[in-house]
């Protein structure tokens, strides 16, 4: 097995075999994802503190978010996680066309998520429901409602940046798939991209109820 691995072009010189290289990549990705969890964990902590200080204001402010659009985005992202997982499974089964189709489907759903987010942001900008000193809306009861929207834009904005980064990675994986880089024996980058995308989806699953439902 070790002898055959040494002939594969995807085995880096500092690894003895493909399995060792794959496990090292997974460990590195999990460490990276842990730093991402810590990053968003800080924002979730800020949300919890400010919500504890301003429970009534947060409740009143969250009613001005569009639950319908937020629900659609939740369904879209969960569906994209499924298509991402199916793309990896298709490559394991050596089905290149299905891998590409599922990657394109994941990209399209990520695009739908961002378009919906654009319309949500645009509506907030029109009403003046903005962070900090840019907040001009007068229709929410409570003290300092701009705090809620500061946290809303900070958390959803950072998440949106991660969605864009994920789209870039998926596009790269699609390009590599088209070039026959991957095979049932080598699909580690595709698998790592899938792990990243699942984390992006999981973060949204926490953001949606905290911002849109609980407030």
């Amino acid at each position: 097995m070790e002898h055959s691995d040494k002939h594969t072009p995807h085995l880096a010189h500092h690894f003895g075999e493909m399995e060792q290289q794959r496990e090292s990549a997974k460990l590195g990705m999990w460490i990276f994802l842990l730093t991402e969890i810590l990053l968003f964990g800080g924002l979730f902590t800020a949300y919890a503190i400010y919500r504890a200080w301003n429970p009534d204001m947060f409740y009143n402010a969250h009613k001005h978010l569009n639950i319908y659009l937020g629900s659609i985005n939740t369904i879209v992202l969960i569906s994209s996680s499924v298509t991402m997982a199916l793309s990896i499974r298709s490559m394991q089964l050596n089905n290149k066309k299905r891998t590409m189709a599922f990657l394109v489907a994941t990209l399209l759903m990520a695009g739908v998520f961002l378009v919906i987010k654009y319309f949500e942001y645009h509506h907030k900008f029109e009403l003046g429901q903005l962070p900090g000193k840019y907040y001009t809306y007068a229709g929410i009861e409570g003290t300092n409602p701009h705090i809620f929207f500061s946290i809303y834009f900070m958390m959803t904005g950072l998440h949106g940046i991660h969605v864009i980064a994920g789209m870039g990675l998926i596009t790269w994986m699609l390009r590599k798939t088209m070039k026959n880089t991957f095979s049932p024996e080598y699909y580690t980058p595709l698998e790592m991209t899938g792990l990243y995308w699942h984390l992006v989806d999981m973060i949204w699953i926490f953001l949606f109820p905290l911002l849109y439902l609980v407030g």
Side-chain angles (χ1 to χ4, degrees):
M1 182 63 184
E2 289 187 12
H3 178 74
S4 60
D5 279 349
K6 290 179 180 177
H7 294 287
T8 177
H10 305 297
L11 180 64
H13 66 88
H14 46 281
F15 291 109
E17 57 185 15
M18 290 299 291
E19 186 60 23
Q20 182 190 31
Q21 178 173 283
R22 179 172 175 271
E23 290 302 320
S24 299
K26 286 178 71 175
L27 177 60
M29 176 54 77
W30 279 113
I31 293 173
F32 169 72
L33 295 182
L34 180 61
T35 65
E36 292 289 288
I37 291 171
L38 289 174
L39 173 64
F40 277 95
L43 294 177
F44 281 120
T45 302
Y47 168 91
I49 292 172
Y50 279 106
R51 190 184 187 284
W53 287 346
N54 309 276
D56 294 335
M57 180 273 287
F58 263 61
Y59 177 76
N60 293 328
H62 101 279
K63 291 189 289 187
H64 290 261
L65 298 183
N66 193 319
I67 295 178
Y68 176 69
L69 292 180
S71 300
I72 293 176
N73 261 350
T74 303
I75 295 170
V76 166
L77 272 193
I78 291 174
S79 301
S80 73
S81 247
V82 173
T83 54
M84 189 69 220
L86 288 173
S87 72
I88 297 169
R89 180 59 181 161
S90 298
M91 182 50 67
Q92 290 173 332
L93 298 175
N94 201 24
N95 193 326
K96 176 185 170 183
K97 286 185 178 179
R98 288 189 67 180
T99 301
M100 292 171 57
F102 283 126
L103 286 175
V104 169
T106 306
L107 271 177
L108 288 175
M109 283 187 272
V112 169
F113 176 89
L114 289 179
V115 169
I116 290 175
K117 209 70 212 153
Y118 163 79
F119 283 114
E120 279 194 88
Y121 277 11
H122 182 69
H123 185 61
K124 297 278 172 291
F125 272 72
E126 284 189 330
L127 293 178
Q129 296 172 339
L130 298 171
K133 65 179 182 181
Y134 302 105
Y135 184 87
T136 58
Y137 189 65
I140 298 177
E141 295 181 9
T143 306
N144 298 324
H146 64 84
I147 293 175
F148 175 85
F149 290 98
S150 296
I151 291 176
Y152 166 79
F153 276 103
M154 195 181 306
M155 297 181 87
T156 59
L158 184 61
H159 178 263
I161 291 172
H162 281 71
V163 171
I164 294 171
M167 292 177 72
L169 286 172
I170 294 168
T171 302
W172 186 29
M173 294 302 105
L174 180 61
R175 187 166 176 266
K176 281 183 167 291
T177 304
M178 293 170 67
K179 289 185 172 183
N180 295 318
T181 302
F182 302 132
S183 67
E185 292 75 32
Y186 175 71
Y187 54 87
T188 303
L190 191 60
E191 191 177 18
M192 299 305 105
T193 301
L195 284 176
Y196 173 83
W197 191 250
H198 295 324
L199 176 74
V200 171
D201 294 353
M202 187 184 73
I203 290 170
W204 178 257
I205 289 172
F206 282 97
L207 287 178
F208 174 65
L210 286 177
L211 295 172
Y212 289 77
L213 301 180
V214 179

